[in-house]
Amino acid sequence: MYVPNRVVTNDDLARIMDTSDEWIQQRTGIRERRWIEPGQQPADLAEAATRQALEAAGLEPRDVDLILLGTLSSQADFPGTSFFLQHQLGLEDTPCMDVRAQCSGFLYMLQLADALIRAGTHTRVLVVGCEVHSTGLDVSTEGRDVAVIFGDGSGAVVLEACDDDDAGILEVRIHSQGEHAKRLCVAAPGSGTSPKRLTHEILDQKLHFPHMEGRFVFKHAVTRMPEVLLETLGAVSLKVEDVDLFLFHQANLRINEFVAGKLEIPEDKLFNNIGRYGNCSAASIPMLLHESQQQGLLEPGKLVSMTAFGAGFSWASAIVRW
Ligand code: COA
């Protein structure tokens, strides 16, 4: 994983908008987040995470034959961030694509990569989550509900085939519900606004900032996450008690505590890092993987359940034997 060096605390935010450390910590569990330094680009974050993942795997960029990059904060309107990353890795024609499934993006990509490897289409897939939210936030008091939540960061994994049927990705389940697309979205710039994607009126209406119906999102997250987690475990005849480690998307610590309570997951089996990084959307789960591995929680043989919910709405869960 890679996060920018610049730490933005809740007190820093309270100096530019009407909020407080107490409000943010109580409602979300977030203490600080990282924001890029001026000039840093999303692909820079993705490259730093990727190089670490490759080094840990003893691989070179050219050893990868597909790059999938999940983001909702792309470096440009087009092409996707993955193309900038591919170039920065010094690759010439390795295929790459961006996957737009917001906070569930990493798990969507796991399913896709798993299927492509099993089909024999690709042998080694780089999967990267990368977000730069800080440049797209309304940091006035009007945007405080969203601005305090999001942070910048990136995480990467390399997937390849293995012979052991009991190891690796055992199951991934993904779901979407476009009915609620507008309840958590950034409407502009997008081709849905006419006659132009970006006008002074659009800026005045702040359509280029995220719009979020927080309570509605919260309610759906705490329903869908346990649902898809159990669906995924059930598909491979496993139970909650069988799982060694639960990694939940880092949107709000209260959501995760609620879900853990509902499923009777003991505290020591749930690893969170939202307090230090905020919500890094598609990067949150690979960042959790990195830190839980560093802390010795991902020993070989451990069963890890990962679950996410996000804009779209989208939700997903994966069960992996380390
Ligand atoms: N600082 C201080 N006050 C704030 C604030 C902030 N950063 N953001 C909102 N408030 C205020 C509101 O204006 C409101 O004030 P009012 O009662 O005077 O109108 C009050 O706090 C309560 O607002 P509300 O939006 O109802 O708070 P909440 O308890 O729902 O908490 C969230 C807000 C955003 C923390 C919560 O809804 C949430 O986490 N939702 C899910 C978000 C999420 O997961 N998004 C990403 C999905 S991937």
Side-chain angles (χ1 to χ4, degrees):
M1 65 170 272
Y2 174 81
V3 289
N5 293 331
R6 181 176 165 204
V7 177
V8 177
T9 65
N10 293 343
D11 286 334
D12 291 335
L13 293 180
R15 279 189 274 278
I16 52 176
M17 64 179 81
D18 182 11
T19 190
S20 66
D21 178 47
E22 193 192 359
W23 192 97
I24 300 170
Q25 286 215 43
Q26 263 180 13
R27 304 284 177 123
T28 70
I30 300 167
R31 297 188 300 278
E32 59 189 40
R33 71 288 292 140
R34 304 298 180 95
W35 284 6
I36 54 160
E37 306 281 358
Q40 256 184 325
Q41 303 263 296
D44 299 334
L45 276 56
E47 182 190 350
T50 296
R51 290 201 184 275
Q52 281 184 50
L54 290 170
E55 194 186 328
L59 297 169
E60 297 289 329
R62 64 173 178 278
D63 297 326
V64 160
D65 59 7
L66 176 68
I67 300 171
L68 300 177
L69 186 145
T71 189
L72 64 77
S73 52
S74 189
Q75 183 154 325
D77 202 12
F78 74 84
T81 305
S82 59
F83 291 81
F84 298 98
L85 170 65
Q86 188 242 35
H87 175 62
Q88 287 181 209
L89 291 173
L91 296 168
E92 282 176 16
D93 66 354
T94 305
C96 58
M97 69 177 97
D98 282 31
V99 171
R100 297 186 54 173
Q102 299 68 246
C103 299
S104 306
F106 182 76
L107 299 181
Y108 271 57
M109 292 189 293
L110 274 196
Q111 192 189 59
L112 186 54
D114 184 48
L116 290 170
I117 290 170
R118 284 180 199 277
T121 316
H122 295 280
T123 54
R124 201 173 282 126
V125 182
L126 171 68
V127 175
V128 191
C130 173
E131 304 288 358
V132 172
H133 286 305
S134 59
T135 50
L137 298 173
D138 176 2
V139 292
S140 72
T141 295
E142 214 181 315
R144 64 184 178 176
D145 58 331
V146 178
V148 301
I149 292 178
F150 289 108
D152 301 343
S154 186
V157 301
V158 186
L159 298 178
E160 63 182 3
C162 70
D163 294 330
D164 187 351
D165 273 352
D166 295 327
I169 298 172
L170 305 181
E171 186 70 32
V172 188
R173 294 289 170 113
I174 65 173
H175 294 275
S176 317
Q177 191 176 17
E179 179 188 350
H180 300 310
K182 290 185 178 165
R183 295 184 191 266
L184 179 50
C185 78
V186 179
S191 308
T193 56
S194 51
K196 293 283 177 213
R197 291 181 190 170
L198 203 51
T199 61
H200 290 292
E201 289 72 33
I202 286 173
L203 293 177
D204 290 343
Q205 290 169 38
K206 296 194 166 190
L207 294 180
H208 59 302
F209 289 135
H211 159 78
M212 179 175 76
E213 295 176 29
R215 290 198 166 199
F216 192 87
V217 174
F218 193 106
K219 265 171 45 188
H220 278 252
V222 297
T223 309
R224 295 306 199 180
M225 287 174 68
E227 216 174 79
V228 69
L229 190 156
L230 293 177
E231 175 195 338
T232 309
L233 290 183
V236 282
S237 305
L238 288 167
K239 297 196 190 65
V240 168
E241 309 83 87
D242 299 324
V243 176
D244 297 301
L245 182 66
F246 291 88
L247 302 177
F248 292 166
H249 170 55
Q250 303 289 291
N252 183 327
L253 190 61
R254 307 293 159 242
I255 292 178
N256 293 356
E257 287 172 347
F258 197 96
V259 174
K262 216 166 168 177
L263 295 174
E264 298 180 15
I265 293 169
E267 226 174 86
D268 62 344
K269 284 192 176 185
L270 183 65
F271 181 72
N272 291 299
N273 59 12
I274 189 169
R276 284 173 287 127
Y277 305 119
N279 180 349
C280 297
S281 299
S284 286
I285 290 187
M287 286 166 60
L288 286 171
L289 284 172
H290 176 97
E291 291 204 328
S292 48
Q293 187 171 44
Q294 272 194 329
Q295 294 187 21
L297 302 171
L298 286 182
E299 299 292 314
K302 294 269 185 199
L303 203 52
V304 185
S305 166
M306 301 173 251
T307 303
F309 180 89
F313 289 162
S314 61
W315 62 103
S317 189
I319 179 79
V320 173
R321 173 87 61 193
W322 212 249

